Amino acid sequence: MKRRTFLKLSSLSLLPLLTNSCDEEEHAFDIEIQSDQKTGHLVFESFLYPEGKTMETETLIVGGGIAGLSAAYELKERDFLLCELSTALGGSSSAQHFKGLSFSQGAHYDLSYPEYYGAEVLEMLKELGIIYHDPHRKCWDFKQKEYLIPEAIESRTFSDGKFRAGVLPEGKLKDDFLKLIQPYLGKMHQPTRLIPEEVRHLDNLTFLDWLNQHLSLNTEFIRALDYHMMDDYGAGAADVSALTGIHYYRCRPYYSQHVELFSPPEGNNFFIQKLAQQVPEKHLKTKHLVRKISKLEGGFKAEVVDIEKKQVHTIKCKGVIYAGHKHALKHIWKDDYPLFENNRYAPWLVMNFVLKPEINSQEVFWQNELLTNNRALMGFVDSASQFTESQEYRVLNTYFCFKPEERKYLANIDDNAQALTKETINIINQYFDQDISSLVEKVFIKVMGHAMSIPYPNYLFRDVNSKRSEEKLIFAGVDSGQLPLFFEAADSGLMAAKLLKSQYSGSMKN
């Protein structure tokens, strides 16, 4: 069957599929949906719940993603409680499970780290047994080599019905672009707090505006740049800062030496599991929603909804590390919400297709980039490229990135999941030149309404903790003015915990 014989739905927008339910019942897929957009209803409902226990702890950590767990790791010898709304830890680095398989429902890889990256996170990853230092390559590589993706199958791009090696079109414009950004290699650190002052002015204008000052861009090249920026930062080149865009291409020596690509089947949930294993389980509370935080003499009081028991517990603590989404602060701790009220978040949707393995394609690639008229559909990661214990199923982890103003449409996902699934399969059919509908065993959908903080101009280098209202209520997470990357999230959690420990020490001296 030829690609041209498939229904050309890729010319349609995905939004109508999220606003109008599908009446077609033929070939209904088995779909399981998780959505963080139901939190508001849960908060409202919780006001009818009875009072539960009153607990005391030294530190309350809000949020069980990378930032929250990194803070927990730093505080593992102390008394704390971590509260996470979801049924499992992970946040935007979560994973799904099916018949012994594990696969990513969020961030799904990382890369070896240059020596000039932040020592605190590198030391933590070393202690966790994840990385080791290679003095010859001058970088930190991963110990578990089975999870490395071979360079030959790292990615392939499907654009306008044709394949090419990379997202950026080959030619003089690409050569000029790479030459333009070459001087910034070694200056684009992680975390961004380590980036030298001499280049920080690049955070004051958009990536597209900066490029237009130096290059004559065409529509095809801008489209490719937008794809890359959306993939890591949630918005296009006209929205993110120039420093953000340069950082994407120059934070590692991609074009001068091989950089290891580390991608376990469960994605960055691998790091979540490693961190959680080092923290006493009794300190980690999933299905616990922090509804409100109030000042108390000598500390704070938090109202915490126990979702499973349908009770509202009270937690009294000396300090708080808030590593949850900052848009919720207007309800939880409104005094510091103004520090974050200009944050913009990209909504993401992850769709995992669990397939029987009979796909005709003999070529397997890890990252399959899709540049179609469906701007929101970013592509898919193919589990056939990853190390896995089971060959019974093949999983296509498919990613969608929407604009902030499109978040409201995701509220209709329960009614429109079948239509969105069928449209997505039609596009993937064109990639494989095969109808995979009959191979689909199960579909998992995860909706993250505030998945990624967009690093727009003047977003980075804001030290929100220097302006916080309370010394012992400290913020962590990439939506505190960092790039939305694993290393940044981990650093923010470690730094928040270190700062809080210093506050405790100061109080004892006083």
mmCIF file with all atom_site columns, all heavy atoms in Angstrom, residues 304-328:
data_model
loop_
_atom_site.group_PDB
_atom_site.id
_atom_site.type_symbol
_atom_site.label_atom_id
_atom_site.label_alt_id
_atom_site.label_comp_id
_atom_site.label_asym_id
_atom_site.label_entity_id
_atom_site.label_seq_id
_atom_site.pdbx_PDB_ins_code
_atom_site.Cartn_x
_atom_site.Cartn_y
_atom_site.Cartn_z
_atom_site.occupancy
_atom_site.B_iso_or_equiv
_atom_site.pdbx_formal_charge
_atom_site.auth_seq_id
_atom_site.auth_comp_id
_atom_site.auth_asym_id
_atom_site.auth_atom_id
_atom_site.pdbx_PDB_model_num
ATOM 1   N N   . VAL A 1 304 ? -4.131  19.026 53.549 1.00 0.00 ? 304 VAL A N   1
ATOM 2   C CA  . VAL A 1 304 ? -3.723  18.024 52.565 1.00 0.00 ? 304 VAL A CA  1
ATOM 3   C C   . VAL A 1 304 ? -4.858  17.031 52.342 1.00 0.00 ? 304 VAL A C   1
ATOM 4   O O   . VAL A 1 304 ? -5.309  16.373 53.290 1.00 0.00 ? 304 VAL A O   1
ATOM 5   C CB  . VAL A 1 304 ? -2.452  17.282 53.022 1.00 0.00 ? 304 VAL A CB  1
ATOM 6   C CG1 . VAL A 1 304 ? -2.032  16.257 51.976 1.00 0.00 ? 304 VAL A CG1 1
ATOM 7   C CG2 . VAL A 1 304 ? -1.324  18.274 53.268 1.00 0.00 ? 304 VAL A CG2 1
ATOM 8   N N   . VAL A 1 305 ? -5.303  16.919 51.101 1.00 0.00 ? 305 VAL A N   1
ATOM 9   C CA  . VAL A 1 305 ? -6.400  16.014 50.757 1.00 0.00 ? 305 VAL A CA  1
ATOM 10  C C   . VAL A 1 305 ? -5.838  14.621 50.504 1.00 0.00 ? 305 VAL A C   1
ATOM 11  O O   . VAL A 1 305 ? -5.015  14.421 49.601 1.00 0.00 ? 305 VAL A O   1
ATOM 12  C CB  . VAL A 1 305 ? -7.144  16.506 49.503 1.00 0.00 ? 305 VAL A CB  1
ATOM 13  C CG1 . VAL A 1 305 ? -8.299  15.553 49.180 1.00 0.00 ? 305 VAL A CG1 1
ATOM 14  C CG2 . VAL A 1 305 ? -7.647  17.932 49.701 1.00 0.00 ? 305 VAL A CG2 1
ATOM 15  N N   . ASP A 1 306 ? -6.272  13.662 51.322 1.00 0.00 ? 306 ASP A N   1
ATOM 16  C CA  . ASP A 1 306 ? -5.945  12.254 51.105 1.00 0.00 ? 306 ASP A CA  1
ATOM 17  C C   . ASP A 1 306 ? -6.994  11.709 50.133 1.00 0.00 ? 306 ASP A C   1
ATOM 18  O O   . ASP A 1 306 ? -8.137  11.449 50.509 1.00 0.00 ? 306 ASP A O   1
ATOM 19  C CB  . ASP A 1 306 ? -5.992  11.498 52.434 1.00 0.00 ? 306 ASP A CB  1
ATOM 20  C CG  . ASP A 1 306 ? -5.539  10.048 52.317 1.00 0.00 ? 306 ASP A CG  1
ATOM 21  O OD1 . ASP A 1 306 ? -5.751  9.460  51.237 1.00 0.00 ? 306 ASP A OD1 1
ATOM 22  O OD2 . ASP A 1 306 ? -5.005  9.509  53.299 1.00 0.00 ? 306 ASP A OD2 1
ATOM 23  N N   . ILE A 1 307 ? -6.607  11.596 48.875 1.00 0.00 ? 307 ILE A N   1
ATOM 24  C CA  . ILE A 1 307 ? -7.569  11.266 47.813 1.00 0.00 ? 307 ILE A CA  1
ATOM 25  C C   . ILE A 1 307 ? -8.152  9.877  48.009 1.00 0.00 ? 307 ILE A C   1
ATOM 26  O O   . ILE A 1 307 ? -9.341  9.645  47.757 1.00 0.00 ? 307 ILE A O   1
ATOM 27  C CB  . ILE A 1 307 ? -6.888  11.384 46.437 1.00 0.00 ? 307 ILE A CB  1
ATOM 28  C CG1 . ILE A 1 307 ? -6.424  12.827 46.209 1.00 0.00 ? 307 ILE A CG1 1
ATOM 29  C CG2 . ILE A 1 307 ? -7.816  10.950 45.306 1.00 0.00 ? 307 ILE A CG2 1
ATOM 30  C CD1 . ILE A 1 307 ? -5.486  13.002 45.050 1.00 0.00 ? 307 ILE A CD1 1
ATOM 31  N N   . GLU A 1 308 ? -7.333  8.948  48.454 1.00 0.00 ? 308 GLU A N   1
ATOM 32  C CA  . GLU A 1 308 ? -7.792  7.575  48.606 1.00 0.00 ? 308 GLU A CA  1
ATOM 33  C C   . GLU A 1 308 ? -8.785  7.437  49.753 1.00 0.00 ? 308 GLU A C   1
ATOM 34  O O   . GLU A 1 308 ? -9.841  6.810  49.612 1.00 0.00 ? 308 GLU A O   1
ATOM 35  C CB  . GLU A 1 308 ? -6.586  6.658  48.836 1.00 0.00 ? 308 GLU A CB  1
ATOM 36  C CG  . GLU A 1 308 ? -6.853  5.206  48.526 1.00 0.00 ? 308 GLU A CG  1
ATOM 37  C CD  . GLU A 1 308 ? -5.567  4.417  48.373 1.00 0.00 ? 308 GLU A CD  1
ATOM 38  O OE1 . GLU A 1 308 ? -4.694  4.505  49.264 1.00 0.00 ? 308 GLU A OE1 1
ATOM 39  O OE2 . GLU A 1 308 ? -5.427  3.716  47.365 1.00 0.00 ? 308 GLU A OE2 1
ATOM 40  N N   . LYS A 1 309 ? -8.462  8.053  50.907 1.00 0.00 ? 309 LYS A N   1
ATOM 41  C CA  . LYS A 1 309 ? -9.332  7.938  52.080 1.00 0.00 ? 309 LYS A CA  1
ATOM 42  C C   . LYS A 1 309 ? -10.430 9.000  52.107 1.00 0.00 ? 309 LYS A C   1
ATOM 43  O O   . LYS A 1 309 ? -11.329 8.946  52.957 1.00 0.00 ? 309 LYS A O   1
ATOM 44  C CB  . LYS A 1 309 ? -8.494  8.041  53.353 1.00 0.00 ? 309 LYS A CB  1
ATOM 45  C CG  . LYS A 1 309 ? -7.537  6.867  53.533 1.00 0.00 ? 309 LYS A CG  1
ATOM 46  C CD  . LYS A 1 309 ? -6.779  6.989  54.844 1.00 0.00 ? 309 LYS A CD  1
ATOM 47  C CE  . LYS A 1 309 ? -5.846  5.798  55.032 1.00 0.00 ? 309 LYS A CE  1
ATOM 48  N NZ  . LYS A 1 309 ? -5.078  5.886  56.292 1.00 0.00 ? 309 LYS A NZ  1
ATOM 49  N N   . LYS A 1 310 ? -10.347 9.981  51.195 1.00 0.00 ? 310 LYS A N   1
ATOM 50  C CA  . LYS A 1 310 ? -11.316 11.070 51.133 1.00 0.00 ? 310 LYS A CA  1
ATOM 51  C C   . LYS A 1 310 ? -11.424 11.783 52.476 1.00 0.00 ? 310 LYS A C   1
ATOM 52  O O   . LYS A 1 310 ? -12.503 11.963 53.050 1.00 0.00 ? 310 LYS A O   1
ATOM 53  C CB  . LYS A 1 310 ? -12.685 10.557 50.664 1.00 0.00 ? 310 LYS A CB  1
ATOM 54  C CG  . LYS A 1 310 ? -12.655 10.066 49.228 1.00 0.00 ? 310 LYS A CG  1
ATOM 55  C CD  . LYS A 1 310 ? -14.062 9.791  48.688 1.00 0.00 ? 310 LYS A CD  1
ATOM 56  C CE  . LYS A 1 310 ? -13.986 9.431  47.208 1.00 0.00 ? 310 LYS A CE  1
ATOM 57  N NZ  . LYS A 1 310 ? -15.309 9.214  46.615 1.00 0.00 ? 310 LYS A NZ  1
ATOM 58  N N   . GLN A 1 311 ? -10.251 12.170 52.970 1.00 0.00 ? 311 GLN A N   1
ATOM 59  C CA  . GLN A 1 311 ? -10.134 12.944 54.202 1.00 0.00 ? 311 GLN A CA  1
ATOM 60  C C   . GLN A 1 311 ? -9.200  14.120 53.955 1.00 0.00 ? 311 GLN A C   1
ATOM 61  O O   . GLN A 1 311 ? -8.416  14.108 53.009 1.00 0.00 ? 311 GLN A O   1
ATOM 62  C CB  . GLN A 1 311 ? -9.571  12.085 55.341 1.00 0.00 ? 311 GLN A CB  1
ATOM 63  C CG  . GLN A 1 311 ? -10.446 10.926 55.760 1.00 0.00 ? 311 GLN A CG  1
ATOM 64  C CD  . GLN A 1 311 ? -9.788  10.085 56.847 1.00 0.00 ? 311 GLN A CD  1
ATOM 65  O OE1 . GLN A 1 311 ? -8.567  10.098 57.009 1.00 0.00 ? 311 GLN A OE1 1
ATOM 66  N NE2 . GLN A 1 311 ? -10.600 9.347  57.591 1.00 0.00 ? 311 GLN A NE2 1
ATOM 67  N N   . VAL A 1 312 ? -9.298  15.116 54.818 1.00 0.00 ? 312 VAL A N   1
ATOM 68  C CA  . VAL A 1 312 ? -8.385  16.258 54.748 1.00 0.00 ? 312 VAL A CA  1
ATOM 69  C C   . VAL A 1 312 ? -7.519  16.270 55.996 1.00 0.00 ? 312 VAL A C   1
ATOM 70  O O   . VAL A 1 312 ? -8.001  16.536 57.102 1.00 0.00 ? 312 VAL A O   1
ATOM 71  C CB  . VAL A 1 312 ? -9.149  17.592 54.604 1.00 0.00 ? 312 VAL A CB  1
ATOM 72  C CG1 . VAL A 1 312 ? -8.166  18.754 54.532 1.00 0.00 ? 312 VAL A CG1 1
ATOM 73  C CG2 . VAL A 1 312 ? -10.033 17.580 53.368 1.00 0.00 ? 312 VAL A CG2 1
ATOM 74  N N   . HIS A 1 313 ? -6.247  15.937 55.828 1.00 0.00 ? 313 HIS A N   1
ATOM 75  C CA  . HIS A 1 313 ? -5.301  15.918 56.936 1.00 0.00 ? 313 HIS A CA  1
ATOM 76  C C   . HIS A 1 313 ? -4.696  17.301 57.143 1.00 0.00 ? 313 HIS A C   1
ATOM 77  O O   . HIS A 1 313 ? -4.690  18.140 56.233 1.00 0.00 ? 313 HIS A O   1
ATOM 78  C CB  . HIS A 1 313 ? -4.173  14.922 56.666 1.00 0.00 ? 313 HIS A CB  1
ATOM 79  C CG  . HIS A 1 313 ? -4.635  13.529 56.417 1.00 0.00 ? 313 HIS A CG  1
ATOM 80  N ND1 . HIS A 1 313 ? -5.475  12.848 57.282 1.00 0.00 ? 313 HIS A ND1 1
ATOM 81  C CD2 . HIS A 1 313 ? -4.385  12.658 55.394 1.00 0.00 ? 313 HIS A CD2 1
ATOM 82  C CE1 . HIS A 1 313 ? -5.709  11.632 56.820 1.00 0.00 ? 313 HIS A CE1 1
ATOM 83  N NE2 . HIS A 1 313 ? -5.070  11.500 55.663 1.00 0.00 ? 313 HIS A NE2 1
ATOM 84  N N   . THR A 1 314 ? -4.151  17.517 58.314 1.00 0.00 ? 314 THR A N   1
ATOM 85  C CA  . THR A 1 314 ? -3.403  18.732 58.629 1.00 0.00 ? 314 THR A CA  1
ATOM 86  C C   . THR A 1 314 ? -1.945  18.350 58.867 1.00 0.00 ? 314 THR A C   1
ATOM 87  O O   . THR A 1 314 ? -1.663  17.442 59.647 1.00 0.00 ? 314 THR A O   1
ATOM 88  C CB  . THR A 1 314 ? -3.971  19.424 59.881 1.00 0.00 ? 314 THR A CB  1
ATOM 89  O OG1 . THR A 1 314 ? -5.320  19.824 59.620 1.00 0.00 ? 314 THR A OG1 1
ATOM 90  C CG2 . THR A 1 314 ? -3.145  20.657 60.237 1.00 0.00 ? 314 THR A CG2 1
ATOM 91  N N   . ILE A 1 315 ? -1.052  19.025 58.156 1.00 0.00 ? 315 ILE A N   1
ATOM 92  C CA  . ILE A 1 315 ? 0.384   18.810 58.362 1.00 0.00 ? 315 ILE A CA  1
ATOM 93  C C   . ILE A 1 315 ? 0.991   20.103 58.879 1.00 0.00 ? 315 ILE A C   1
ATOM 94  O O   . ILE A 1 315 ? 0.899   21.144 58.228 1.00 0.00 ? 315 ILE A O   1
ATOM 95  C CB  . ILE A 1 315 ? 1.088   18.382 57.061 1.00 0.00 ? 315 ILE A CB  1
ATOM 96  C CG1 . ILE A 1 315 ? 0.555   17.017 56.596 1.00 0.00 ? 315 ILE A CG1 1
ATOM 97  C CG2 . ILE A 1 315 ? 2.605   18.308 57.271 1.00 0.00 ? 315 ILE A CG2 1
ATOM 98  C CD1 . ILE A 1 315 ? 1.189   16.519 55.311 1.00 0.00 ? 315 ILE A CD1 1
ATOM 99  N N   . LYS A 1 316 ? 1.604   20.025 60.060 1.00 0.00 ? 316 LYS A N   1
ATOM 100 C CA  . LYS A 1 316 ? 2.314   21.164 60.629 1.00 0.00 ? 316 LYS A CA  1
ATOM 101 C C   . LYS A 1 316 ? 3.808   20.956 60.401 1.00 0.00 ? 316 LYS A C   1
ATOM 102 O O   . LYS A 1 316 ? 4.336   19.859 60.604 1.00 0.00 ? 316 LYS A O   1
ATOM 103 C CB  . LYS A 1 316 ? 2.013   21.294 62.121 1.00 0.00 ? 316 LYS A CB  1
ATOM 104 C CG  . LYS A 1 316 ? 0.543   21.605 62.416 1.00 0.00 ? 316 LYS A CG  1
ATOM 105 C CD  . LYS A 1 316 ? 0.292   21.715 63.912 1.00 0.00 ? 316 LYS A CD  1
ATOM 106 C CE  . LYS A 1 316 ? -1.171  22.025 64.203 1.00 0.00 ? 316 LYS A CE  1
ATOM 107 N NZ  . LYS A 1 316 ? -1.432  22.123 65.678 1.00 0.00 ? 316 LYS A NZ  1
ATOM 108 N N   . CYS A 1 317 ? 4.481   22.000 59.962 1.00 0.00 ? 317 CYS A N   1
ATOM 109 C CA  . CYS A 1 317 ? 5.893   21.860 59.625 1.00 0.00 ? 317 CYS A CA  1
ATOM 110 C C   . CYS A 1 317 ? 6.641   23.158 59.897 1.00 0.00 ? 317 CYS A C   1
ATOM 111 O O   . CYS A 1 317 ? 6.042   24.229 60.025 1.00 0.00 ? 317 CYS A O   1
ATOM 112 C CB  . CYS A 1 317 ? 6.048   21.461 58.157 1.00 0.00 ? 317 CYS A CB  1
ATOM 113 S SG  . CYS A 1 317 ? 5.308   22.625 57.004 1.00 0.00 ? 317 CYS A SG  1
ATOM 114 N N   . LYS A 1 318 ? 7.971   23.041 59.960 1.00 0.00 ? 318 LYS A N   1
ATOM 115 C CA  . LYS A 1 318 ? 8.817   24.222 60.146 1.00 0.00 ? 318 LYS A CA  1
ATOM 116 C C   . LYS A 1 318 ? 9.116   24.922 58.829 1.00 0.00 ? 318 LYS A C   1
ATOM 117 O O   . LYS A 1 318 ? 9.314   26.133 58.784 1.00 0.00 ? 318 LYS A O   1
ATOM 118 C CB  . LYS A 1 318 ? 10.135  23.815 60.815 1.00 0.00 ? 318 LYS A CB  1
ATOM 119 C CG  . LYS A 1 318 ? 9.986   23.315 62.239 1.00 0.00 ? 318 LYS A CG  1
ATOM 120 C CD  . LYS A 1 318 ? 11.357  22.943 62.812 1.00 0.00 ? 318 LYS A CD  1
ATOM 121 C CE  . LYS A 1 318 ? 11.232  22.432 64.239 1.00 0.00 ? 318 LYS A CE  1
ATOM 122 N NZ  . LYS A 1 318 ? 12.558  22.032 64.802 1.00 0.00 ? 318 LYS A NZ  1
ATOM 123 N N   . GLY A 1 319 ? 9.200   24.132 57.752 1.00 0.00 ? 319 GLY A N   1
ATOM 124 C CA  . GLY A 1 319 ? 9.541   24.704 56.450 1.00 0.00 ? 319 GLY A CA  1
ATOM 125 C C   . GLY A 1 319 ? 8.850   23.973 55.319 1.00 0.00 ? 319 GLY A C   1
ATOM 126 O O   . GLY A 1 319 ? 8.387   22.840 55.477 1.00 0.00 ? 319 GLY A O   1
ATOM 127 N N   . VAL A 1 320 ? 8.790   24.648 54.163 1.00 0.00 ? 320 VAL A N   1
ATOM 128 C CA  . VAL A 1 320 ? 8.126   24.097 52.978 1.00 0.00 ? 320 VAL A CA  1
ATOM 129 C C   . VAL A 1 320 ? 9.034   24.262 51.771 1.00 0.00 ? 320 VAL A C   1
ATOM 130 O O   . VAL A 1 320 ? 9.634   25.324 51.575 1.00 0.00 ? 320 VAL A O   1
ATOM 131 C CB  . VAL A 1 320 ? 6.783   24.821 52.698 1.00 0.00 ? 320 VAL A CB  1
ATOM 132 C CG1 . VAL A 1 320 ? 6.155   24.295 51.400 1.00 0.00 ? 320 VAL A CG1 1
ATOM 133 C CG2 . VAL A 1 320 ? 5.814   24.647 53.863 1.00 0.00 ? 320 VAL A CG2 1
ATOM 134 N N   . ILE A 1 321 ? 9.153   23.201 50.972 1.00 0.00 ? 321 ILE A N   1
ATOM 135 C CA  . ILE A 1 321 ? 9.726   23.310 49.634 1.00 0.00 ? 321 ILE A CA  1
ATOM 136 C C   . ILE A 1 321 ? 8.591   23.100 48.656 1.00 0.00 ? 321 ILE A C   1
ATOM 137 O O   . ILE A 1 321 ? 8.010   22.010 48.584 1.00 0.00 ? 321 ILE A O   1
ATOM 138 C CB  . ILE A 1 321 ? 10.855  22.287 49.404 1.00 0.00 ? 321 ILE A CB  1
ATOM 139 C CG1 . ILE A 1 321 ? 12.034  22.588 50.313 1.00 0.00 ? 321 ILE A CG1 1
ATOM 140 C CG2 . ILE A 1 321 ? 11.300  22.309 47.934 1.00 0.00 ? 321 ILE A CG2 1
ATOM 141 C CD1 . ILE A 1 321 ? 13.162  21.587 50.219 1.00 0.00 ? 321 ILE A CD1 1
ATOM 142 N N   . TYR A 1 322 ? 8.270   24.146 47.931 1.00 0.00 ? 322 TYR A N   1
ATOM 143 C CA  . TYR A 1 322 ? 7.154   24.076 46.989 1.00 0.00 ? 322 TYR A CA  1
ATOM 144 C C   . TYR A 1 322 ? 7.715   23.774 45.606 1.00 0.00 ? 322 TYR A C   1
ATOM 145 O O   . TYR A 1 322 ? 8.254   24.642 44.924 1.00 0.00 ? 322 TYR A O   1
ATOM 146 C CB  . TYR A 1 322 ? 6.353   25.380 46.986 1.00 0.00 ? 322 TYR A CB  1
ATOM 147 C CG  . TYR A 1 322 ? 5.064   25.256 46.199 1.00 0.00 ? 322 TYR A CG  1
ATOM 148 C CD1 . TYR A 1 322 ? 3.882   24.912 46.832 1.00 0.00 ? 322 TYR A CD1 1
ATOM 149 C CD2 . TYR A 1 322 ? 5.047   25.431 44.816 1.00 0.00 ? 322 TYR A CD2 1
ATOM 150 C CE1 . TYR A 1 322 ? 2.695   24.766 46.111 1.00 0.00 ? 322 TYR A CE1 1
ATOM 151 C CE2 . TYR A 1 322 ? 3.874   25.285 44.093 1.00 0.00 ? 322 TYR A CE2 1
ATOM 152 C CZ  . TYR A 1 322 ? 2.709   24.956 44.741 1.00 0.00 ? 322 TYR A CZ  1
ATOM 153 O OH  . TYR A 1 322 ? 1.544   24.797 44.034 1.00 0.00 ? 322 TYR A OH  1
ATOM 154 N N   . ALA A 1 323 ? 7.570   22.507 45.179 1.00 0.00 ? 323 ALA A N   1
ATOM 155 C CA  . ALA A 1 323 ? 8.053   22.065 43.878 1.00 0.00 ? 323 ALA A CA  1
ATOM 156 C C   . ALA A 1 323 ? 6.904   21.689 42.947 1.00 0.00 ? 323 ALA A C   1
ATOM 157 O O   . ALA A 1 323 ? 7.110   21.010 41.947 1.00 0.00 ? 323 ALA A O   1
ATOM 158 C CB  . ALA A 1 323 ? 8.994   20.868 44.045 1.00 0.00 ? 323 ALA A CB  1
ATOM 159 N N   . GLY A 1 324 ? 5.703   22.150 43.277 1.00 0.00 ? 324 GLY A N   1
ATOM 160 C CA  . GLY A 1 324 ? 4.549   21.921 42.413 1.00 0.00 ? 324 GLY A CA  1
ATOM 161 C C   . GLY A 1 324 ? 4.416   23.024 41.380 1.00 0.00 ? 324 GLY A C   1
ATOM 162 O O   . GLY A 1 324 ? 5.221   23.965 41.334 1.00 0.00 ? 324 GLY A O   1
ATOM 163 N N   . HIS A 1 325 ? 3.375   22.913 40.534 1.00 0.00 ? 325 HIS A N   1
ATOM 164 C CA  . HIS A 1 325 ? 3.129   23.943 39.527 1.00 0.00 ? 325 HIS A CA  1
ATOM 165 C C   . HIS A 1 325 ? 2.772   25.268 40.196 1.00 0.00 ? 325 HIS A C   1
ATOM 166 O O   . HIS A 1 325 ? 1.922   25.318 41.085 1.00 0.00 ? 325 HIS A O   1
ATOM 167 C CB  . HIS A 1 325 ? 1.980   23.512 38.610 1.00 0.00 ? 325 HIS A CB  1
ATOM 168 C CG  . HIS A 1 325 ? 2.393   22.460 37.626 1.00 0.00 ? 325 HIS A CG  1
ATOM 169 N ND1 . HIS A 1 325 ? 1.552   21.443 37.248 1.00 0.00 ? 325 HIS A ND1 1
ATOM 170 C CD2 . HIS A 1 325 ? 3.536   22.264 36.941 1.00 0.00 ? 325 HIS A CD2 1
ATOM 171 C CE1 . HIS A 1 325 ? 2.170   20.657 36.370 1.00 0.00 ? 325 HIS A CE1 1
ATOM 172 N NE2 . HIS A 1 325 ? 3.376   21.140 36.175 1.00 0.00 ? 325 HIS A NE2 1
ATOM 173 N N   . LYS A 1 326 ? 3.386   26.330 39.715 1.00 0.00 ? 326 LYS A N   1
ATOM 174 C CA  . LYS A 1 326 ? 3.231   27.627 40.381 1.00 0.00 ? 326 LYS A CA  1
ATOM 175 C C   . LYS A 1 326 ? 1.899   28.305 40.076 1.00 0.00 ? 326 LYS A C   1
ATOM 176 O O   . LYS A 1 326 ? 1.488   29.202 40.819 1.00 0.00 ? 326 LYS A O   1
ATOM 177 C CB  . LYS A 1 326 ? 4.395   28.553 39.996 1.00 0.00 ? 326 LYS A CB  1
ATOM 178 C CG  . LYS A 1 326 ? 5.782   27.935 40.213 1.00 0.00 ? 326 LYS A CG  1
ATOM 179 C CD  . LYS A 1 326 ? 5.986   27.379 41.606 1.00 0.00 ? 326 LYS A CD  1
ATOM 180 C CE  . LYS A 1 326 ? 7.364   26.782 41.816 1.00 0.00 ? 326 LYS A CE  1
ATOM 181 N NZ  . LYS A 1 326 ? 7.600   25.534 41.055 1.00 0.00 ? 326 LYS A NZ  1
ATOM 182 N N   . HIS A 1 327 ? 1.202   27.889 38.998 1.00 0.00 ? 327 HIS A N   1
ATOM 183 C CA  . HIS A 1 327 ? -0.105  28.501 38.728 1.00 0.00 ? 327 HIS A CA  1
ATOM 184 C C   . HIS A 1 327 ? -1.096  28.195 39.843 1.00 0.00 ? 327 HIS A C   1
ATOM 185 O O   . HIS A 1 327 ? -2.062  28.935 40.041 1.00 0.00 ? 327 HIS A O   1
ATOM 186 C CB  . HIS A 1 327 ? -0.659  28.012 37.382 1.00 0.00 ? 327 HIS A CB  1
ATOM 187 C CG  . HIS A 1 327 ? -1.066  26.564 37.391 1.00 0.00 ? 327 HIS A CG  1
ATOM 188 N ND1 . HIS A 1 327 ? -0.156  25.544 37.220 1.00 0.00 ? 327 HIS A ND1 1
ATOM 189 C CD2 . HIS A 1 327 ? -2.276  25.982 37.569 1.00 0.00 ? 327 HIS A CD2 1
ATOM 190 C CE1 . HIS A 1 327 ? -0.794  24.384 37.274 1.00 0.00 ? 327 HIS A CE1 1
ATOM 191 N NE2 . HIS A 1 327 ? -2.065  24.617 37.487 1.00 0.00 ? 327 HIS A NE2 1
ATOM 192 N N   . ALA A 1 328 ? -0.856  27.109 40.610 1.00 0.00 ? 328 ALA A N   1
ATOM 193 C CA  . ALA A 1 328 ? -1.767  26.735 41.694 1.00 0.00 ? 328 ALA A CA  1
ATOM 194 C C   . ALA A 1 328 ? -1.550  27.561 42.951 1.00 0.00 ? 328 ALA A C   1
ATOM 195 O O   . ALA A 1 328 ? -2.366  27.515 43.877 1.00 0.00 ? 328 ALA A O   1
ATOM 196 C CB  . ALA A 1 328 ? -1.604  25.252 42.006 1.00 0.00 ? 328 ALA A CB  1
#
